Amino acid sequence: MTPVMASSLAGDKNQDIVNETAERLRDELELIGYVISHDLQSPLRAIQSCCQELNRQPSEGAGQESIHMLSQEAARLKILMQGIVDYIRLETFPNAPTLLDSNDIMQTVIATLGDEIKISGAVITCDALPNVMAHRGRLTNLFAQLLDNALKFRGDVPPVIRVSAHRVGDRWEFCIEDNGIGIDEENFDIIFRLFQRLHASDSYPGYGIGLALSRKIVEAHGGKLWVESALKKGSRFLFTLPAAKQGG
């Protein structure tokens, strides 16, 4: 056997090992996601059901406060578990991009967030958005996460949010701009890390999953997500997605 052939066989073997390891990791992550979304949801639903039943019964003082606290914590746990499941599924579910009208998806997301928009007094303007090659569920999730982020981290005045996009080569660059509390430049990288938070949960609820999930969604489409911001001067979240191949 020549050295070239031996090197080629060794390379093939190493690639097989890498593929097997990656496949095993995907299987393990999928199992974790299944356990969280199914096995752990059952006792959580039981806890919530008990809380609802106890809330219907007469109770005063510390007992009622404990029931209320338990109910809140169960609701928070459910949100956290769903966020972890969504994050894991990005690693295990294949991406199948299709031709999508991002304007329709954005309008659907805005309608879904109607209660939050009304409560905050937000004004959202949306430019004409393009057709892109993307996965419908993931693109919907991405828009929802970024809009929810803009609504949540608002300052003393009602949120003013603008959604826009412009063509850059074979991609579209989207921008979601707000007038919120802003972000210090030294934290630009931190906010995209899983479970990293800049604020106490009693000030701004959340678990540090939304922006990490958003970046993963964009990267799964071969794009980039970044932020431009300054404290008390609002933020601009920008990301790229592949343009539609048919004049999108």
Side-chain angles (χ1 to χ4, degrees), residues 148-182:
D148 182 66
N149 193 71
L151 292 169
K152 181 190 303 181
F153 294 99
R154 57 183 182 267
D156 297 329
V157 297
V160 176
I161 303 168
R162 182 190 174 193
V163 183
S164 59
H166 70 277
R167 186 73 175 254
V168 181
D170 62 349
R171 297 182 178 278
W172 284 96
E173 183 178 297
F174 288 76
C175 177
I176 297 181
E177 183 175 5
D178 65 60
N179 64 334
I181 61 175

PDB file of all heavy atoms in Angstrom, residues 148-182:
ATOM      1  N   ASP A 148     -40.301  40.461  20.516  1.00  0.00           N
ATOM      2  CA  ASP A 148     -40.576  40.350  21.941  1.00  0.00           C
ATOM      3  C   ASP A 148     -39.456  41.000  22.747  1.00  0.00           C
ATOM      4  O   ASP A 148     -39.697  41.668  23.761  1.00  0.00           O
ATOM      5  CB  ASP A 148     -40.730  38.885  22.339  1.00  0.00           C
ATOM      6  CG  ASP A 148     -41.070  38.717  23.809  1.00  0.00           C
ATOM      7  OD1 ASP A 148     -42.169  39.125  24.217  1.00  0.00           O
ATOM      8  OD2 ASP A 148     -40.227  38.185  24.563  1.00  0.00           O
ATOM      9  N   ASN A 149     -38.227  40.835  22.290  1.00  0.00           N
ATOM     10  CA  ASN A 149     -37.076  41.442  22.945  1.00  0.00           C
ATOM     11  C   ASN A 149     -37.198  42.976  22.926  1.00  0.00           C
ATOM     12  O   ASN A 149     -36.942  43.653  23.928  1.00  0.00           O
ATOM     13  CB  ASN A 149     -35.799  41.002  22.227  1.00  0.00           C
ATOM     14  CG  ASN A 149     -34.543  41.313  23.018  1.00  0.00           C
ATOM     15  OD1 ASN A 149     -34.270  40.694  24.033  1.00  0.00           O
ATOM     16  ND2 ASN A 149     -33.772  42.284  22.547  1.00  0.00           N
ATOM     17  N   ALA A 150     -37.587  43.525  21.775  1.00  0.00           N
ATOM     18  CA  ALA A 150     -37.733  44.973  21.648  1.00  0.00           C
ATOM     19  C   ALA A 150     -38.864  45.497  22.529  1.00  0.00           C
ATOM     20  O   ALA A 150     -38.782  46.598  23.077  1.00  0.00           O
ATOM     21  CB  ALA A 150     -37.986  45.343  20.187  1.00  0.00           C
ATOM     22  N   LEU A 151     -39.937  44.724  22.675  1.00  0.00           N
ATOM     23  CA  LEU A 151     -41.054  45.128  23.531  1.00  0.00           C
ATOM     24  C   LEU A 151     -40.686  45.042  25.011  1.00  0.00           C
ATOM     25  O   LEU A 151     -41.086  45.896  25.813  1.00  0.00           O
ATOM     26  CB  LEU A 151     -42.272  44.238  23.260  1.00  0.00           C
ATOM     27  CG  LEU A 151     -42.943  44.381  21.893  1.00  0.00           C
ATOM     28  CD1 LEU A 151     -43.949  43.260  21.680  1.00  0.00           C
ATOM     29  CD2 LEU A 151     -43.635  45.737  21.771  1.00  0.00           C
ATOM     30  N   LYS A 152     -39.928  44.034  25.356  1.00  0.00           N
ATOM     31  CA  LYS A 152     -39.598  43.779  26.758  1.00  0.00           C
ATOM     32  C   LYS A 152     -38.624  44.824  27.306  1.00  0.00           C
ATOM     33  O   LYS A 152     -38.847  45.372  28.392  1.00  0.00           O
ATOM     34  CB  LYS A 152     -38.991  42.381  26.899  1.00  0.00           C
ATOM     35  CG  LYS A 152     -38.638  42.006  28.336  1.00  0.00           C
ATOM     36  CD  LYS A 152     -37.831  40.724  28.376  1.00  0.00           C
ATOM     37  CE  LYS A 152     -38.532  39.565  27.724  1.00  0.00           C
ATOM     38  NZ  LYS A 152     -37.726  38.313  27.803  1.00  0.00           N
ATOM     39  N   PHE A 153     -37.541  45.087  26.579  1.00  0.00           N
ATOM     40  CA  PHE A 153     -36.501  45.967  27.098  1.00  0.00           C
ATOM     41  C   PHE A 153     -36.744  47.418  26.683  1.00  0.00           C
ATOM     42  O   PHE A 153     -35.927  48.052  26.026  1.00  0.00           O
ATOM     43  CB  PHE A 153     -35.127  45.472  26.627  1.00  0.00           C
ATOM     44  CG  PHE A 153     -34.760  44.136  27.214  1.00  0.00           C
ATOM     45  CD1 PHE A 153     -34.931  42.974  26.474  1.00  0.00           C
ATOM     46  CD2 PHE A 153     -34.287  44.030  28.510  1.00  0.00           C
ATOM     47  CE1 PHE A 153     -34.617  41.731  27.007  1.00  0.00           C
ATOM     48  CE2 PHE A 153     -33.973  42.799  29.065  1.00  0.00           C
ATOM     49  CZ  PHE A 153     -34.142  41.643  28.315  1.00  0.00           C
ATOM     50  N   ARG A 154     -37.889  47.908  27.089  1.00  0.00           N
ATOM     51  CA  ARG A 154     -38.267  49.283  26.773  1.00  0.00           C
ATOM     52  C   ARG A 154     -37.882  50.210  27.926  1.00  0.00           C
ATOM     53  O   ARG A 154     -37.704  49.781  29.062  1.00  0.00           O
ATOM     54  CB  ARG A 154     -39.762  49.376  26.502  1.00  0.00           C
ATOM     55  CG  ARG A 154     -40.659  48.892  27.629  1.00  0.00           C
ATOM     56  CD  ARG A 154     -42.109  48.966  27.215  1.00  0.00           C
ATOM     57  NE  ARG A 154     -43.029  48.553  28.271  1.00  0.00           N
ATOM     58  CZ  ARG A 154     -43.487  47.337  28.428  1.00  0.00           C
ATOM     59  NH1 ARG A 154     -43.079  46.358  27.608  1.00  0.00           N
ATOM     60  NH2 ARG A 154     -44.346  47.050  29.404  1.00  0.00           N
ATOM     61  N   GLY A 155     -37.811  51.497  27.610  1.00  0.00           N
ATOM     62  CA  GLY A 155     -37.480  52.479  28.626  1.00  0.00           C
ATOM     63  C   GLY A 155     -38.726  53.075  29.250  1.00  0.00           C
ATOM     64  O   GLY A 155     -39.734  52.391  29.442  1.00  0.00           O
ATOM     65  N   ASP A 156     -38.663  54.375  29.549  1.00  0.00           N
ATOM     66  CA  ASP A 156     -39.776  55.043  30.208  1.00  0.00           C
ATOM     67  C   ASP A 156     -40.865  55.477  29.235  1.00  0.00           C
ATOM     68  O   ASP A 156     -41.946  55.886  29.660  1.00  0.00           O
ATOM     69  CB  ASP A 156     -39.257  56.273  30.973  1.00  0.00           C
ATOM     70  CG  ASP A 156     -38.286  55.890  32.086  1.00  0.00           C
ATOM     71  OD1 ASP A 156     -38.459  54.790  32.649  1.00  0.00           O
ATOM     72  OD2 ASP A 156     -37.380  56.687  32.371  1.00  0.00           O
ATOM     73  N   VAL A 157     -40.574  55.428  27.958  1.00  0.00           N
ATOM     74  CA  VAL A 157     -41.568  55.828  26.951  1.00  0.00           C
ATOM     75  C   VAL A 157     -42.015  54.578  26.179  1.00  0.00           C
ATOM     76  O   VAL A 157     -41.300  53.574  26.145  1.00  0.00           O
ATOM     77  CB  VAL A 157     -40.982  56.870  25.979  1.00  0.00           C
ATOM     78  CG1 VAL A 157     -40.616  58.142  26.739  1.00  0.00           C
ATOM     79  CG2 VAL A 157     -39.764  56.313  25.251  1.00  0.00           C
ATOM     80  N   PRO A 158     -43.183  54.618  25.564  1.00  0.00           N
ATOM     81  CA  PRO A 158     -43.656  53.456  24.800  1.00  0.00           C
ATOM     82  C   PRO A 158     -42.666  53.075  23.697  1.00  0.00           C
ATOM     83  O   PRO A 158     -42.023  53.943  23.100  1.00  0.00           O
ATOM     84  CB  PRO A 158     -44.993  53.941  24.210  1.00  0.00           C
ATOM     85  CG  PRO A 158     -45.452  54.999  25.150  1.00  0.00           C
ATOM     86  CD  PRO A 158     -44.196  55.690  25.605  1.00  0.00           C
ATOM     87  N   PRO A 159     -42.546  51.790  23.411  1.00  0.00           N
ATOM     88  CA  PRO A 159     -41.608  51.337  22.378  1.00  0.00           C
ATOM     89  C   PRO A 159     -41.987  51.847  20.988  1.00  0.00           C
ATOM     90  O   PRO A 159     -43.159  51.870  20.621  1.00  0.00           O
ATOM     91  CB  PRO A 159     -41.726  49.807  22.432  1.00  0.00           C
ATOM     92  CG  PRO A 159     -42.320  49.500  23.756  1.00  0.00           C
ATOM     93  CD  PRO A 159     -43.218  50.667  24.075  1.00  0.00           C
ATOM     94  N   VAL A 160     -40.983  52.250  20.247  1.00  0.00           N
ATOM     95  CA  VAL A 160     -41.127  52.574  18.831  1.00  0.00           C
ATOM     96  C   VAL A 160     -40.187  51.639  18.089  1.00  0.00           C
ATOM     97  O   VAL A 160     -38.958  51.697  18.266  1.00  0.00           O
ATOM     98  CB  VAL A 160     -40.779  54.044  18.532  1.00  0.00           C
ATOM     99  CG1 VAL A 160     -40.862  54.304  17.024  1.00  0.00           C
ATOM    100  CG2 VAL A 160     -41.705  54.978  19.293  1.00  0.00           C
ATOM    101  N   ILE A 161     -40.756  50.768  17.274  1.00  0.00           N
ATOM    102  CA  ILE A 161     -39.982  49.707  16.626  1.00  0.00           C
ATOM    103  C   ILE A 161     -40.148  49.798  15.116  1.00  0.00           C
ATOM    104  O   ILE A 161     -41.269  49.926  14.617  1.00  0.00           O
ATOM    105  CB  ILE A 161     -40.451  48.318  17.125  1.00  0.00           C
ATOM    106  CG1 ILE A 161     -40.339  48.237  18.654  1.00  0.00           C
ATOM    107  CG2 ILE A 161     -39.642  47.201  16.464  1.00  0.00           C
ATOM    108  CD1 ILE A 161     -41.043  47.035  19.251  1.00  0.00           C
ATOM    109  N   ARG A 162     -39.034  49.718  14.416  1.00  0.00           N
ATOM    110  CA  ARG A 162     -39.091  49.722  12.955  1.00  0.00           C
ATOM    111  C   ARG A 162     -38.429  48.457  12.426  1.00  0.00           C
ATOM    112  O   ARG A 162     -37.333  48.089  12.839  1.00  0.00           O
ATOM    113  CB  ARG A 162     -38.384  50.946  12.379  1.00  0.00           C
ATOM    114  CG  ARG A 162     -38.483  50.994  10.849  1.00  0.00           C
ATOM    115  CD  ARG A 162     -37.596  52.041  10.242  1.00  0.00           C
ATOM    116  NE  ARG A 162     -37.633  51.951   8.775  1.00  0.00           N
ATOM    117  CZ  ARG A 162     -36.772  52.563   7.978  1.00  0.00           C
ATOM    118  NH1 ARG A 162     -35.802  53.296   8.490  1.00  0.00           N
ATOM    119  NH2 ARG A 162     -36.873  52.412   6.672  1.00  0.00           N
ATOM    120  N   VAL A 163     -39.107  47.806  11.486  1.00  0.00           N
ATOM    121  CA  VAL A 163     -38.583  46.602  10.841  1.00  0.00           C
ATOM    122  C   VAL A 163     -38.315  46.938   9.376  1.00  0.00           C
ATOM    123  O   VAL A 163     -39.201  47.436   8.678  1.00  0.00           O
ATOM    124  CB  VAL A 163     -39.580  45.432  10.936  1.00  0.00           C
ATOM    125  CG1 VAL A 163     -38.973  44.172  10.315  1.00  0.00           C
ATOM    126  CG2 VAL A 163     -39.982  45.178  12.385  1.00  0.00           C
ATOM    127  N   SER A 164     -37.102  46.641   8.916  1.00  0.00           N
ATOM    128  CA  SER A 164     -36.742  46.971   7.534  1.00  0.00           C
ATOM    129  C   SER A 164     -35.790  45.913   6.985  1.00  0.00           C
ATOM    130  O   SER A 164     -35.307  45.041   7.721  1.00  0.00           O
ATOM    131  CB  SER A 164     -36.078  48.349   7.464  1.00  0.00           C
ATOM    132  OG  SER A 164     -34.899  48.384   8.264  1.00  0.00           O
ATOM    133  N   ALA A 165     -35.530  45.994   5.690  1.00  0.00           N
ATOM    134  CA  ALA A 165     -34.597  45.058   5.048  1.00  0.00           C
ATOM    135  C   ALA A 165     -34.067  45.687   3.767  1.00  0.00           C
ATOM    136  O   ALA A 165     -34.776  46.438   3.094  1.00  0.00           O
ATOM    137  CB  ALA A 165     -35.278  43.731   4.741  1.00  0.00           C
ATOM    138  N   HIS A 166     -32.810  45.398   3.435  1.00  0.00           N
ATOM    139  CA  HIS A 166     -32.262  45.823   2.151  1.00  0.00           C
ATOM    140  C   HIS A 166     -31.352  44.736   1.600  1.00  0.00           C
ATOM    141  O   HIS A 166     -30.793  43.937   2.353  1.00  0.00           O
ATOM    142  CB  HIS A 166     -31.525  47.161   2.258  1.00  0.00           C
ATOM    143  CG  HIS A 166     -30.237  47.102   3.021  1.00  0.00           C
ATOM    144  ND1 HIS A 166     -30.181  47.159   4.402  1.00  0.00           N
ATOM    145  CD2 HIS A 166     -28.944  46.981   2.594  1.00  0.00           C
ATOM    146  CE1 HIS A 166     -28.924  47.082   4.802  1.00  0.00           C
ATOM    147  NE2 HIS A 166     -28.154  46.966   3.727  1.00  0.00           N
ATOM    148  N   ARG A 167     -31.214  44.724   0.289  1.00  0.00           N
ATOM    149  CA  ARG A 167     -30.477  43.665  -0.400  1.00  0.00           C
ATOM    150  C   ARG A 167     -28.968  43.910  -0.302  1.00  0.00           C
ATOM    151  O   ARG A 167     -28.482  45.024  -0.511  1.00  0.00           O
ATOM    152  CB  ARG A 167     -30.902  43.614  -1.874  1.00  0.00           C
ATOM    153  CG  ARG A 167     -30.331  42.460  -2.688  1.00  0.00           C
ATOM    154  CD  ARG A 167     -30.984  41.147  -2.330  1.00  0.00           C
ATOM    155  NE  ARG A 167     -30.523  40.064  -3.185  1.00  0.00           N
ATOM    156  CZ  ARG A 167     -31.249  39.513  -4.148  1.00  0.00           C
ATOM    157  NH1 ARG A 167     -32.496  39.948  -4.361  1.00  0.00           N
ATOM    158  NH2 ARG A 167     -30.787  38.528  -4.881  1.00  0.00           N
ATOM    159  N   VAL A 168     -28.234  42.853   0.024  1.00  0.00           N
ATOM    160  CA  VAL A 168     -26.772  42.885   0.045  1.00  0.00           C
ATOM    161  C   VAL A 168     -26.291  41.642  -0.700  1.00  0.00           C
ATOM    162  O   VAL A 168     -26.237  40.550  -0.132  1.00  0.00           O
ATOM    163  CB  VAL A 168     -26.206  42.891   1.484  1.00  0.00           C
ATOM    164  CG1 VAL A 168     -24.672  42.941   1.445  1.00  0.00           C
ATOM    165  CG2 VAL A 168     -26.757  44.060   2.288  1.00  0.00           C
ATOM    166  N   GLY A 169     -25.965  41.794  -1.984  1.00  0.00           N
ATOM    167  CA  GLY A 169     -25.541  40.648  -2.786  1.00  0.00           C
ATOM    168  C   GLY A 169     -26.647  39.619  -2.909  1.00  0.00           C
ATOM    169  O   GLY A 169     -27.772  39.939  -3.300  1.00  0.00           O
ATOM    170  N   ASP A 170     -26.340  38.376  -2.542  1.00  0.00           N
ATOM    171  CA  ASP A 170     -27.327  37.301  -2.648  1.00  0.00           C
ATOM    172  C   ASP A 170     -28.103  37.106  -1.345  1.00  0.00           C
ATOM    173  O   ASP A 170     -28.736  36.075  -1.136  1.00  0.00           O
ATOM    174  CB  ASP A 170     -26.643  35.994  -3.063  1.00  0.00           C
ATOM    175  CG  ASP A 170     -25.613  35.528  -2.034  1.00  0.00           C
ATOM    176  OD1 ASP A 170     -25.281  36.309  -1.111  1.00  0.00           O
ATOM    177  OD2 ASP A 170     -25.112  34.393  -2.173  1.00  0.00           O
ATOM    178  N   ARG A 171     -28.059  38.109  -0.475  1.00  0.00           N
ATOM    179  CA  ARG A 171     -28.742  38.016   0.812  1.00  0.00           C
ATOM    180  C   ARG A 171     -29.556  39.272   1.083  1.00  0.00           C
ATOM    181  O   ARG A 171     -29.334  40.322   0.486  1.00  0.00           O
ATOM    182  CB  ARG A 171     -27.721  37.815   1.942  1.00  0.00           C
ATOM    183  CG  ARG A 171     -26.956  36.508   1.812  1.00  0.00           C
ATOM    184  CD  ARG A 171     -25.986  36.302   2.953  1.00  0.00           C
ATOM    185  NE  ARG A 171     -25.325  35.009   2.806  1.00  0.00           N
ATOM    186  CZ  ARG A 171     -25.843  33.864   3.183  1.00  0.00           C
ATOM    187  NH1 ARG A 171     -27.028  33.851   3.746  1.00  0.00           N
ATOM    188  NH2 ARG A 171     -25.205  32.733   3.003  1.00  0.00           N
ATOM    189  N   TRP A 172     -30.480  39.115   2.035  1.00  0.00           N
ATOM    190  CA  TRP A 172     -31.208  40.263   2.550  1.00  0.00           C
ATOM    191  C   TRP A 172     -30.720  40.539   3.960  1.00  0.00           C
ATOM    192  O   TRP A 172     -30.553  39.618   4.761  1.00  0.00           O
ATOM    193  CB  TRP A 172     -32.704  40.007   2.566  1.00  0.00           C
ATOM    194  CG  TRP A 172     -33.350  40.103   1.223  1.00  0.00           C
ATOM    195  CD1 TRP A 172     -33.632  39.081   0.361  1.00  0.00           C
ATOM    196  CD2 TRP A 172     -33.783  41.304   0.576  1.00  0.00           C
ATOM    197  NE1 TRP A 172     -34.213  39.565  -0.777  1.00  0.00           N
ATOM    198  CE2 TRP A 172     -34.327  40.928  -0.678  1.00  0.00           C
ATOM    199  CE3 TRP A 172     -33.783  42.655   0.931  1.00  0.00           C
ATOM    200  CZ2 TRP A 172     -34.849  41.853  -1.571  1.00  0.00           C
ATOM    201  CZ3 TRP A 172     -34.309  43.573   0.042  1.00  0.00           C
ATOM    202  CH2 TRP A 172     -34.841  43.179  -1.191  1.00  0.00           C
ATOM    203  N   GLU A 173     -30.475  41.798   4.242  1.00  0.00           N
ATOM    204  CA  GLU A 173     -30.079  42.200   5.589  1.00  0.00           C
ATOM    205  C   GLU A 173     -31.283  42.854   6.268  1.00  0.00           C
ATOM    206  O   GLU A 173     -31.753  43.908   5.849  1.00  0.00           O
ATOM    207  CB  GLU A 173     -28.908  43.168   5.548  1.00  0.00           C
ATOM    208  CG  GLU A 173     -28.411  43.576   6.933  1.00  0.00           C
ATOM    209  CD  GLU A 173     -27.211  44.504   6.880  1.00  0.00           C
ATOM    210  OE1 GLU A 173     -26.147  44.065   6.368  1.00  0.00           O
ATOM    211  OE2 GLU A 173     -27.340  45.672   7.316  1.00  0.00           O
ATOM    212  N   PHE A 174     -31.780  42.210   7.301  1.00  0.00           N
ATOM    213  CA  PHE A 174     -32.929  42.707   8.061  1.00  0.00           C
ATOM    214  C   PHE A 174     -32.441  43.540   9.243  1.00  0.00           C
ATOM    215  O   PHE A 174     -31.353  43.322   9.773  1.00  0.00           O
ATOM    216  CB  PHE A 174     -33.757  41.540   8.602  1.00  0.00           C
ATOM    217  CG  PHE A 174     -34.533  40.790   7.560  1.00  0.00           C
ATOM    218  CD1 PHE A 174     -33.902  39.899   6.702  1.00  0.00           C
ATOM    219  CD2 PHE A 174     -35.910  40.964   7.443  1.00  0.00           C
ATOM    220  CE1 PHE A 174     -34.622  39.195   5.748  1.00  0.00           C
ATOM    221  CE2 PHE A 174     -36.638  40.259   6.504  1.00  0.00           C
ATOM    222  CZ  PHE A 174     -35.990  39.378   5.645  1.00  0.00           C
ATOM    223  N   CYS A 175     -33.286  44.467   9.659  1.00  0.00           N
ATOM    224  CA  CYS A 175     -32.972  45.289  10.826  1.00  0.00           C
ATOM    225  C   CYS A 175     -34.233  45.488  11.653  1.00  0.00           C
ATOM    226  O   CYS A 175     -35.279  45.882  11.120  1.00  0.00           O
ATOM    227  CB  CYS A 175     -32.406  46.644  10.403  1.00  0.00           C
ATOM    228  SG  CYS A 175     -32.065  47.758  11.796  1.00  0.00           S
ATOM    229  N   ILE A 176     -34.151  45.190  12.945  1.00  0.00           N
ATOM    230  CA  ILE A 176     -35.231  45.478  13.889  1.00  0.00           C
ATOM    231  C   ILE A 176     -34.688  46.505  14.877  1.00  0.00           C
ATOM    232  O   ILE A 176     -33.836  46.190  15.705  1.00  0.00           O
ATOM    233  CB  ILE A 176     -35.717  44.202  14.593  1.00  0.00           C
ATOM    234  CG1 ILE A 176     -36.311  43.234  13.556  1.00  0.00           C
ATOM    235  CG2 ILE A 176     -36.746  44.531  15.667  1.00  0.00           C
ATOM    236  CD1 ILE A 176     -36.855  41.950  14.126  1.00  0.00           C
ATOM    237  N   GLU A 177     -35.169  47.715  14.751  1.00  0.00           N
ATOM    238  CA  GLU A 177     -34.637  48.858  15.510  1.00  0.00           C
ATOM    239  C   GLU A 177     -35.645  49.314  16.546  1.00  0.00           C
ATOM    240  O   GLU A 177     -36.844  49.382  16.269  1.00  0.00           O
ATOM    241  CB  GLU A 177     -34.323  49.994  14.539  1.00  0.00           C
ATOM    242  CG  GLU A 177     -33.696  51.225  15.185  1.00  0.00           C
ATOM    243  CD  GLU A 177     -33.293  52.259  14.154  1.00  0.00           C
ATOM    244  OE1 GLU A 177     -33.585  52.054  12.952  1.00  0.00           O
ATOM    245  OE2 GLU A 177     -32.689  53.271  14.545  1.00  0.00           O
ATOM    246  N   ASP A 178     -35.161  49.625  17.764  1.00  0.00           N
ATOM    247  CA  ASP A 178     -36.062  50.071  18.830  1.00  0.00           C
ATOM    248  C   ASP A 178     -35.474  51.276  19.557  1.00  0.00           C
ATOM    249  O   ASP A 178     -34.326  51.659  19.347  1.00  0.00           O
ATOM    250  CB  ASP A 178     -36.331  48.923  19.815  1.00  0.00           C
ATOM    251  CG  ASP A 178     -35.080  48.479  20.571  1.00  0.00           C
ATOM    252  OD1 ASP A 178     -34.479  49.312  21.280  1.00  0.00           O
ATOM    253  OD2 ASP A 178     -34.694  47.297  20.462  1.00  0.00           O
ATOM    254  N   ASN A 179     -36.281  51.855  20.420  1.00  0.00           N
ATOM    255  CA  ASN A 179     -35.867  53.005  21.223  1.00  0.00           C
ATOM    256  C   ASN A 179     -35.753  52.629  22.690  1.00  0.00           C
ATOM    257  O   ASN A 179     -36.004  53.445  23.582  1.00  0.00           O
ATOM    258  CB  ASN A 179     -36.864  54.156  21.054  1.00  0.00           C
ATOM    259  CG  ASN A 179     -38.252  53.792  21.599  1.00  0.00           C
ATOM    260  OD1 ASN A 179     -38.603  52.610  21.656  1.00  0.00           O
ATOM    261  ND2 ASN A 179     -39.044  54.785  21.993  1.00  0.00           N
ATOM    262  N   GLY A 180     -35.386  51.382  22.958  1.00  0.00           N
ATOM    263  CA  GLY A 180     -35.372  50.850  24.317  1.00  0.00           C
ATOM    264  C   GLY A 180     -34.175  51.268  25.144  1.00  0.00           C
ATOM    265  O   GLY A 180     -33.506  52.273  24.865  1.00  0.00           O
ATOM    266  N   ILE A 181     -33.868  50.468  26.165  1.00  0.00           N
ATOM    267  CA  ILE A 181     -32.848  50.831  27.150  1.00  0.00           C
ATOM    268  C   ILE A 181     -31.431  50.716  26.606  1.00  0.00           C
ATOM    269  O   ILE A 181     -30.492  51.253  27.189  1.00  0.00           O
ATOM    270  CB  ILE A 181     -32.980  49.964  28.417  1.00  0.00           C
ATOM    271  CG1 ILE A 181     -32.789  48.482  28.079  1.00  0.00           C
ATOM    272  CG2 ILE A 181     -34.322  50.204  29.081  1.00  0.00           C
ATOM    273  CD1 ILE A 181     -32.787  47.572  29.298  1.00  0.00           C
ATOM    274  N   GLY A 182     -31.261  50.024  25.494  1.00  0.00           N
ATOM    275  CA  GLY A 182     -29.945  49.923  24.884  1.00  0.00           C
ATOM    276  C   GLY A 182     -29.025  48.928  25.593  1.00  0.00           C
ATOM    277  O   GLY A 182     -29.349  48.384  26.652  1.00  0.00           O
TER     278      GLY A 182
END
